Amino acid sequence: MSDEVKKFGPHGVAIAEVIPVPAMRKMMADHMIKSHLEAARVTILEEIPADGLVKLRSELVEDLEKTDGVKISYTHLFIKALAQALRQHMIINSTLIENEIQVLEDINMGIAIALPDGNLIAPVIHNADKKNIVEIAKRALELQEKAKTGKLILDDVKRGTFTLTNIGMLPESRWTTPIINQSQCGILATGAIRKVPVVRDDQIVIGTVVSVSFTFDHRIVNGLPAALFINTLSKLLEDPSQLELGI
């Protein structure tokens, strides 16, 4: 491209490429900026021991892939743990409408999924707390496939009350500050499950941990209810024998 036909950005640097913003990305950007401006966002960062979670998943993969034809992922276990923790802390499963905090009866878990074009979408597992781990896994896999093939319908993305985003596919991912899905109280991001040095019985040994980032709307809850919710979630993930798997 010659100097005569080059275009320059507002900062005086030549533009190498112009990428039109797709309608979906524009809508998502508008939605996120509205949430960013309106919610009083606070993020709690936590690192949770995950040796028990790794062991449980290994056992479930071995058992359920044979009997039910489904491979349980950590995301499926996070969904189950979150739904169970939300049932114990329903104030987190709420929304702020004008001057009312409305605690919602159903626990509908949105799962952030990256689309092939780079956009994100959060299809919803409705009544996640009432589904067993196999039902959660099958529905999550179905939604993931529908998202990738462009077959999601409106009901697949409606009525979410909380959102999970798993960035653990990046090996060294730890914490982030996820933006709340508008009208919800909170969102949880999970990082990679990693081996790290830990202290047990005054000895340094190798343990497994998972980092979580919980962003919540301080207009709805303050730090104490948020911390209690994360404490419950931490206990469920650290000792997954407490998970109500329904199998």
Side-chain angles (χ1 to χ4, degrees), residues 39-196:
R41 297 174 301 113
V42 178
T43 302
I44 294 176
L45 309 176
E46 189 73 46
E47 194 164 70
I48 302 171
D51 298 273
L53 192 68
V54 172
K55 182 174 183 293
L56 173 64
R57 179 181 177 264
S58 178
E59 293 170 351
L60 291 175
V61 166
E62 184 176 349
D63 294 340
L64 298 182
E65 196 166 10
K66 295 176 183 177
T67 59
D68 295 272
V70 62
K71 187 173 183 178
I72 302 298
S73 72
Y74 289 114
T75 295
H76 305 149
L77 292 170
F78 291 141
I79 292 168
K80 170 51 71 175
L82 275 168
Q84 194 169 325
L86 285 168
R87 181 55 65 189
Q88 296 180 48
H89 302 270
M90 287 296 288
I91 189 62
I92 307 297
N93 195 65
S94 62
T95 187
L96 178 65
I97 304 297
E98 295 181 352
N99 63 340
E100 289 184 342
I101 295 173
Q102 299 177 358
V103 179
L104 305 171
E105 183 175 341
D106 294 340
I107 294 175
N108 299 330
M109 190 69 58
I111 318 163
I113 295 175
L115 299 176
D117 62 2
N119 285 314
L120 284 174
I121 196 165
V124 177
I125 298 180
H126 299 101
N127 298 301
D129 59 316
K130 297 177 182 178
K131 289 180 168 59
N132 64 39
I133 191 63
V134 173
E135 292 169 329
I136 285 174
K138 287 184 175 180
R139 182 57 176 157
L141 291 167
E142 178 188 9
L143 290 171
Q144 185 175 23
E145 182 61 25
K146 290 176 75 173
K148 289 183 176 179
T149 56
K151 295 181 179 178
L152 288 171
I153 61 175
L154 186 59
D155 194 59
D156 291 330
V157 297
K158 286 177 60 178
R159 304 193 308 281
T161 63
F162 193 91
T163 300
L164 167 69
T165 177
N166 185 354
I167 61 171
M169 70 288 298
L170 303 174
E172 293 303 317
S173 60
R174 300 190 185 185
W175 294 284
T176 183
T177 53
I179 297 177
I180 299 167
N181 208 336
Q182 194 177 8
S183 83
Q184 296 177 13
C185 177
I187 180 172
L188 186 98
T190 53
I193 293 178
R194 315 177 332 274
K195 290 187 178 296
V196 297

